[in-house]
Amino acid sequence: MRMEDLKRILTEVKNNKTDVQDALKLISNLPYVDIGFAKYDTHRFLRQGFPEVIFGEGKTDKEMVKLCKIAVENGGVVMVTRVVKKTADYVRKHIDGFKYHADAHMLTYGRSNGKRSKTGILIMTAGTVDRFVAEEARITAQMFGNTVDTSYDVGVAGLHRLLDQMEKIKKARVIVVAAGMDGALPSVVGGLVDKPVIAVPVSSGYGASFKGLSSLLTMLNSCSPTVAVVNIDNGFGAGFMASLINRL
Amino acid sequence: MRMEDLKRILTEVKNNKTDVQDALKLISNLPYVDIGFAKYDTHRFLRQGFPEVIFGEGKTDKEMVKLCKIAVENGGVVMVTRVVKKTADYVRKHIDGFKYHADAHMLTYGRSNGKRSKTGILIMTAGTVDRFVAEEARITAQMFGNTVDTSYDVGVAGLHRLLDQMEKIKKARVIVVAAGMDGALPSVVGGLVDKPVIAVPVSSGYGASFKGLSSLLTMLNSCSPTVAVVNIDNGFGAGFMASLINRL
Amino acid sequence: MRMEDLKRILTEVKNNKTDVQDALKLISNLPYVDIGFAKYDTHRFLRQGFPEVIFGEGKTDKEMVKLCKIAVENGGVVMVTRVVKKTADYVRKHIDGFKYHADAHMLTYGRSNGKRSKTGILIMTAGTVDRFVAEEARITAQMFGNTVDTSYDVGVAGLHRLLDQMEKIKKARVIVVAAGMDGALPSVVGGLVDKPVIAVPVSSGYGASFKGLSSLLTMLNSCSPTVAVVNIDNGFGAGFMASLINRL
Amino acid sequence: MRMEDLKRILTEVKNNKTDVQDALKLISNLPYVDIGFAKYDTHRFLRQGFPEVIFGEGKTDKEMVKLCKIAVENGGVVMVTRVVKKTADYVRKHIDGFKYHADAHMLTYGRSNGKRSKTGILIMTAGTVDRFVAEEARITAQMFGNTVDTSYDVGVAGLHRLLDQMEKIKKARVIVVAAGMDGALPSVVGGLVDKPVIAVPVSSGYGASFKGLSSLLTMLNSCSPTVAVVNIDNGFGAGFMASLINRL
Amino acid sequence: MRMEDLKRILTEVKNNKTDVQDALKLISNLPYVDIGFAKYDTHRFLRQGFPEVIFGEGKTDKEMVKLCKIAVENGGVVMVTRVVKKTADYVRKHIDGFKYHADAHMLTYGRSNGKRSKTGILIMTAGTVDRFVAEEARITAQMFGNTVDTSYDVGVAGLHRLLDQMEKIKKARVIVVAAGMDGALPSVVGGLVDKPVIAVPVSSGYGASFKGLSSLLTMLNSCSPTVAVVNIDNGFGAGFMASLINRL
Amino acid sequence: MRMEDLKRILTEVKNNKTDVQDALKLISNLPYVDIGFAKYDTHRFLRQGFPEVIFGEGKTDKEMVKLCKIAVENGGVVMVTRVVKKTADYVRKHIDGFKYHADAHMLTYGRSNGKRSKTGILIMTAGTVDRFVAEEARITAQMFGNTVDTSYDVGVAGLHRLLDQMEKIKKARVIVVAAGMDGALPSVVGGLVDKPVIAVPVSSGYGASFKGLSSLLTMLNSCSPTVAVVNIDNGFGAGFMASLINRL
Amino acid sequence: MRMEDLKRILTEVKNNKTDVQDALKLISNLPYVDIGFAKYDTHRFLRQGFPEVIFGEGKTDKEMVKLCKIAVENGGVVMVTRVVKKTADYVRKHIDGFKYHADAHMLTYGRSNGKRSKTGILIMTAGTVDRFVAEEARITAQMFGNTVDTSYDVGVAGLHRLLDQMEKIKKARVIVVAAGMDGALPSVVGGLVDKPVIAVPVSSGYGASFKGLSSLLTMLNSCSPTVAVVNIDNGFGAGFMASLINRL
Amino acid sequence: MRMEDLKRILTEVKNNKTDVQDALKLISNLPYVDIGFAKYDTHRFLRQGFPEVIFGEGKTDKEMVKLCKIAVENGGVVMVTRVVKKTADYVRKHIDGFKYHADAHMLTYGRSNGKRSKTGILIMTAGTVDRFVAEEARITAQMFGNTVDTSYDVGVAGLHRLLDQMEKIKKARVIVVAAGMDGALPSVVGGLVDKPVIAVPVSSGYGASFKGLSSLLTMLNSCSPTVAVVNIDNGFGAGFMASLINRL
């Protein structure tokens, strides 16, 4: 149930278009739907302004379809993260309107129809392999109504590529930086700006990158106090956090 | 050099109160002062709106006085973190106007004279031992002109204490949560709100808390996407980040 | 050999229905059967009141059938954990009476015919992906004669879903909580009750969850002293421990 | 506020010895006392049957006295853990009735006046250096009204010393085992019994014991499913958990 | 080149059956054969009394055949460890006389024709899944001419199974103990004997066993000073070490 | 763009063979080509004397072809690391002139046509499984114009094999040592020479080698101060570093 | 009680010098003396041929004197490890005959009066800081009647120093090698010999030596199968193990 | 013995100023002096061109004086690292000519009298607390005859400070970069140059810097292949390595 739905119902009650009993029934939906293996949160839109995002791992194709149906019925705007193509195809075969974003491994349905933010979020990556995580952040931020720009493959080993992005960097209100290996990009970007930088460690790399531990530690130890960190590979979290901040 | 200083100089030039040569001299200060063991960044106020914060560890008392003097001369608003009382006393003996915050282990001088923010930042702690880190965040946020409220010792093991803080939680624009041991508080707070939560792991605890590693991992794995994390015990970073966000 | 079998034999001796020689032979079974690669413990039922549970990993299909046959002959109640479907099917093809629990990856045979406990065990999960581990705990506890209830997908990020379970929580004598990622649920549940909470870290999640290490540390550092912890993904151990306690 | 206090008030109301207004006032004490740096939980006795235990680390001597006073006033039975002798002496100088347990590093006041349990808890240690943690468990369990027995220095490297304890082991309802280094004792004890074993890793040892990590992992991987684990050096937690279980 | 070959040559020289030039040529074989990707050590038999053992990982089938041929030509007794069945079959198709040991994942050729040791080595395992590592130790020790006995699946959770092995334990000169999970068996065995115990951690288990780290740490921290440790899953190393000791 | 290309253009301008406008156009190529998912650095040859090396992981076959084409057009000398054979075949089908090095998992195109270095780089390995990493170093060093020699399979467990390489060791100007398992070879080689040794940990091995962590730590702790370390399995980095040094 | 004591008693019984009742009394001492915080094992000499060694950490001066007295009375040969000088002085003031070994941090009393072994144990160290651990091994081995030789400061970074020790190396039956930092010495020594090498990691060093973890991993991954490992800094364990082996 | 000494002796022999017997005696000094706890390497100057550097930790004041005397007698150029002031004062009281460098914690005696290098080594630090490690590198490099320049406190969070050092950076032949916390500086510097960068992680920082682990991993994962790494806090090793390279 979206805020606008709630407003509409209340307005109809006020205008005597819906009687109190029916309104009560409509509103008094349980705040979640219990479907055994999961409890789908239908009031999150009211609480946080966003629909519950479905975490795609560990669910069978059938369970995914079941959850997606409830989500479509309750929110209208749906995001599923970490969906492999096979499951995505299965969902799309059973429910119309879902779109699959291959690089981001996401399924989306509908889109925030609020006004698009004027100033926006910049998503940056250090290397080409970081783009999968960055795309998850980008799709997430766009689904929440943000204007999003990107600067990919601008790692610190080629400082001139990074400095060429200064205009984009200055224009953004919030910056998301995805980086694996040495994870040094957020520190450098964070030193250039006076706005929040959300750093996402990426599990790319090999050897002593220890599946993202290396860049995670780098980012937590960033000498720029403009940097906060989310989980390794958590592009969704970074996009969500940036959306929360940009909305302020 | 603060933005207002720069404006004043330019206005005086415009009004012929300062001639161009003198203005140039005033403005053309190097962006940092090189004092051998350190390069004090005097233009950070221009770049980020805040003075350089001095990291107190690894500096002798004499070096600290030297840096503090430059800071006072260039910025007018100064913060020193992680200062032990002995060094703080030494600085205060040699430079007037510094105040020592014992719980936060900070020295401050002056204060942002911009308007105080109306809506503000809430600093929460899970246990009593987390207050040292929380105080560092609080002093930092206040120095940057934020209205700051606190809810200390409201960890998840006594849920009723936490739920009593709902009003403060709802009123805040940004929330900082400091927690050691299980580090579970940010996840719970993050699930109650639709605003940014900056989580600070605290190195308190013993045994398998591994000096804050436990709460760091908990926070990075928070099931609430409203949570971003800074370094263990980094109260300053959390306060700084919250200030950046609250300023938007 | 179950306690009731032993009692029956002794009673028959007392009543002159079995002579001493035969009784001795029946009872003097070795306390385990040595089948080369394994020593099946046939007296565990006498020692602990439960049959030896067979750990399914690292055994060939044929070895599994061999062990299951001995178990059926000696105990009558059999549990096999961590069995993949292929092996389960093989066992069921060769021995009648086994049932496969797909979510729990368990094979069971027979069932404790003691009286079912009146008050019981509550199994809770934080997210949907934790249910595989939770199901292992549930089947285990049921096999040992406990009344078991479940509250799945009630993680701390949606506190209202959790608080809706208060009635179940209050009714239980022992609670098992399975959670991955931030592993915060046991701390919160543990703070609401005055009964033992057995926490099971789950290896679900990604990035800094480090295959369950994150939630393991969270649980070990729980601020609620009502929480004790078993190995990551050890649903069986949690169910067993809860059964031991509920039996008191 | 203890349950018996509450009962008394309600009885007095029923018997018209206290009028409703006064009763309300007495009962409606806040569930905690907010003293700035801490929120003392005064209703925990009602919720869990035990007073809040005060964690001694990170508190000044004065703060400790303040908390102890509130605790004495609200509960009558008080426990403080991890108190160094210096602080303990300070508290005892300012409040009468506290007793310091040097090996356990605990302060206690009063004692559960419920009936002492008939069957009880056995506290075991593998080596002599584990006794500090074991003593914390012992004092805790005794404070909660349990009959407690001990078997110290019976590690697995001298199996005959352990087997001499079989009578005590059989008599106990719950067993607490504290062990550092190889942490093997809970596995062996757990294999001998059909009752809950609460294992406490101890940070004693050197080298690859890594401050208790070694014994923690051993215990989590115990081949006996009768074992659950609490945090390294958490004697209090083990004693508390054993008390919860023994009370069933 | 085996010691006996060298002796024969020298004796023939002494007896004028081989002239000095030919003998020199025979003996002056390079101490290794350089075949590009590897340098096969042909004098190890002289230095250590054993042929070079070929480590099977990371070699193609063709390279393996090449190495095995050189080994057969130079030593007569050959062992290949960590060979998958596919490669073993390939070798056996190209060179006669190799035998594959499926559980041990080893290929062997010939056998020490020295006298078999009278007293011998006992190989023990805690659980059934440890037998793969134990078998590698057993085959290795047998290839080096030792009398080997085994006690499998006698973990500490069923102490009576272990105590039944006391006769074998007392008879052995050296004991190899393979154990995963809690890795507690070597500590217990080590406490029962006054002879060297070589402990091999096994990577079996799940969760906090962290691929053998758990049992490795347990064994390194063994309270019995009769225990020394080799690498996780290093059955070969344990068998080799036991052979060295038993030969004394 | 290579330095010689730049020189040619400038000479042509000087000699009036190219007019300034055309020259500007030729030179003013952006220092990188932005192809969306990547920014190919075309001026690296000018900055570092080497073409950008393409990191093969995380790129689709089509993307790889796209990048390789740009690289061929801009540099003439191209290296792709960590390419699986399937992708290599795809590239070779679409672009002529690429050569695949199977052991090194590298694609190369063209070759430095500068003079080959007289004295050179020695690449050493401890075991046969280290040769994949060593080959990456070898191909890299050769592509950059170095004379390269190799000493493979000369680990410290067979010291005589190592000492046989003393002549090669003495002749080299820089030494690259690849080793897994105990990683002891660089320490020993480093103690024999007075020239830089670049150590590459290799992730070969099993158990407590923890995917190269063991040899990484050994090398970082080398008692010979002639040793510096690159990332685990980073043969390319070692070859690059050795080239930089040998060029001095 | 030492074996010779037992023999003497039995012989006296046989010769009618002691009557059966008195003999029984003498022999039937409990196998350990229970002194509350510890159970001193008085029959270990019978079981393992050595007296119980007292671990000095975590015991007060008074407790140490108490244990030492019992040890002197029961065994006659006593070793205390990890004793600081202050405690050692206290013991020596209260009991005559103890000798303090400052480098080894050991107290000893008496000495094995069996025949000294002819061939012996060689103790080696890589660096000068490893000698504290090596001395603990040396004293231990000497107390158990072994002939012990030493080669200190012969690390692999100066191979000629090591090769000068070849004579000693060849003469020894068992070798103990203590090394910190890169821990490479046991691998090299192990490759030179065909006898057991007991490797002791030492926690000396700094940075990535991680308090001995680095050398521990190196030794566990030794390419020479002649190496087995004991705990970090466990000189006593190495000396004990070497004694067990040398006794064979 | 320095190369020049050797040359002089040989020249004297040639010129009949020293007879062959005496020369032999002079030259045939053992390559090291055995002083019990240490073997001082007197021929290292011949092998590596540098005297043995004395590692200051773990040696008593007396032992240090002993070693320093031998060093002075054999080499004439002596360096002692990691010496606390107290020991340094003791050495200087007993031997003339030693100089103590307080920031570097080093003692030096004499100085390479070879020609000073023309082009040189640049030592950089990210923050002020890194200067202790940097100074160790600087003194080391200067002792080996290098021209050394420094750029301290130029971390990536203030990129303008770093870019101001471009001239120094371009002039250097080898660069040493010391950095703690995020350890990002070597990656950025390494991307700007085509010369070797030796990175030294520094254990400064707090929380998730884990005593230098964070910056160590960052540096090992540097995206610039111009970077090689030495141990945490190993300023000496970095200075030595840079000297080796600059000498080429």
Side-chain angles (χ1 to χ4, degrees), chain C residues 72 76-79 95-99 107-111 143:
Chain C
V72 167
V77 183
V78 184
M79 290 170 50
I95 319 178
D96 279 344
F98 272 94
K99 180 175 173 188
L107 269 175
T108 59
Y109 178 96
R111 190 152 176 187
M143 286 297 290

Side-chain angles (χ1 to χ4, degrees), chain E residues 165-176:
Chain E
Q165 313 297 318
M166 278 311 296
E167 208 171 336
K168 285 188 185 181
I169 289 171
K170 278 180 182 154
K171 225 175 62 186
R173 278 186 99 214
V174 193
I175 300 175
V176 169

Side-chain angles (χ1 to χ4, degrees), chain F residues 44-103:
Chain F
R44 183 164 293 196
F45 206 94
L46 289 184
R47 279 201 327 283
Q48 300 195 332
F50 304 130
E52 170 146 317
V53 177
I54 300 167
F55 183 65
E57 287 184 359
K59 297 189 177 82
T60 65
D61 289 2
K62 287 193 180 167
E63 289 169 359
M64 189 59 80
V65 165
K66 206 167 177 180
L67 278 170
C68 284
K69 274 191 182 152
I70 297 174
V72 167
E73 286 159 11
N74 280 280
V77 184
V78 183
M79 290 170 51
V80 192
T81 61
R82 299 187 167 244
V83 200
V84 292
K85 190 164 186 315
K86 190 191 131 292
T87 302
D89 288 347
Y90 187 87
V91 170
R92 296 176 68 203
K93 214 176 69 187
H94 288 77
I95 320 179
D96 279 345
F98 272 93
K99 181 174 173 188
Y100 188 57
H101 308 262
D103 273 3

Side-chain angles (χ1 to χ4, degrees), chain E residues 27-46:
Chain E
I27 297 173
S28 68
N29 269 327
L30 278 170
Y32 53 85
V33 180
D34 193 332
I35 51 173
F37 69 94
K39 295 190 174 45
Y40 187 80
D41 189 338
T42 54
H43 272 207
R44 182 164 294 195
F45 205 94
L46 289 184

Side-chain angles (χ1 to χ4, degrees), chain D residues 147-164:
Chain D
T147 297
V148 183
D149 204 350
T150 59
S151 295
Y152 287 180
D153 196 23
V154 294
V156 300
L159 212 52
H160 59 299
R161 293 186 294 195
L162 171 59
L163 297 178
D164 273 6

Side-chain angles (χ1 to χ4, degrees), chain G residues 118-168:
Chain G
K118 270 186 203 166
T119 52
I121 296 167
L122 174 65
I123 318 266
M124 308 178 77
T125 70
T128 58
V129 284
D130 305 324
R131 75 178 182 277
F132 304 103
V133 172
E135 282 295 287
E136 197 185 63
R138 185 177 67 83
I139 302 294
T140 301
Q142 283 181 341
M143 287 297 289
F144 289 133
N146 297 284
T147 297
V148 183
D149 204 349
T150 60
S151 296
Y152 286 0
D153 197 22
V154 294
V156 301
L159 212 51
H160 59 298
R161 292 185 295 195
L162 171 59
L163 298 179
D164 273 6
Q165 314 296 318
M166 278 311 297
E167 208 171 336
K168 286 188 185 179

Side-chain angles (χ1 to χ4, degrees), chain B residues 9-184:
Chain B
I9 293 169
L10 293 177
T11 313
E12 288 175 2
V13 170
K14 194 181 157 199
N15 301 342
N16 290 320
K17 292 197 174 158
T18 299
D19 71 45
V20 172
Q21 283 308 328
D22 291 349
L24 262 176
K25 223 160 147 190
L26 285 165
I27 297 173
S28 68
N29 270 326
L30 278 170
Y32 53 84
V33 179
D34 193 332
I35 50 172
F37 69 93
K39 294 190 175 48
Y40 186 81
D41 188 338
T42 53
H43 272 208
R44 183 165 293 194
F45 206 95
L46 289 184
R47 278 201 330 283
Q48 300 195 333
F50 304 129
E52 169 146 315
V53 178
I54 301 168
F55 183 65
E57 289 184 0
K59 297 189 177 80
T60 65
D61 290 0
K62 286 192 182 170
E63 289 169 359
M64 188 60 79
V65 165
K66 206 167 179 181
L67 279 169
C68 284
K69 275 191 182 153
I70 298 173
V72 166
E73 286 158 12
N74 280 281
V77 184
V78 183
M79 290 170 51
V80 192
T81 62
R82 299 187 165 243
V83 200
V84 291
K85 189 163 186 314
K86 190 189 132 292
T87 301
D89 288 346
Y90 188 87
V91 169
R92 294 176 69 203
K93 213 176 68 186
H94 287 78
I95 320 179
D96 279 344
F98 272 94
K99 181 175 173 188
Y100 188 58
H101 307 262
D103 273 4
H105 298 100
M106 287 175 76
L107 269 176
T108 58
Y109 179 96
R111 190 151 177 188
S112 165
N113 54 5
K115 273 188 236 152
R116 189 131 302 252
S117 69
K118 269 185 206 166
T119 52
I121 295 167
L122 175 64
I123 318 265
M124 310 180 75
T125 70
T128 57
V129 284
D130 305 324
R131 75 178 182 278
F132 304 103
V133 171
E135 283 294 287
E136 196 184 63
R138 186 178 66 83
I139 302 294
T140 301
Q142 282 182 341
M143 286 297 289
F144 290 135
N146 298 284
T147 298
V148 183
D149 204 350
T150 60
S151 295
Y152 287 0
D153 196 24
V154 295
V156 301
L159 212 51
H160 59 299
R161 291 185 296 194
L162 172 59
L163 297 179
D164 273 5
Q165 314 296 319
M166 277 311 296
E167 209 171 334
K168 285 187 187 181
I169 289 171
K170 276 180 183 153
K171 225 176 62 187
R173 277 185 100 211
V174 193
I175 300 175
V176 169
V177 186
M181 303 290 289
D182 60 23

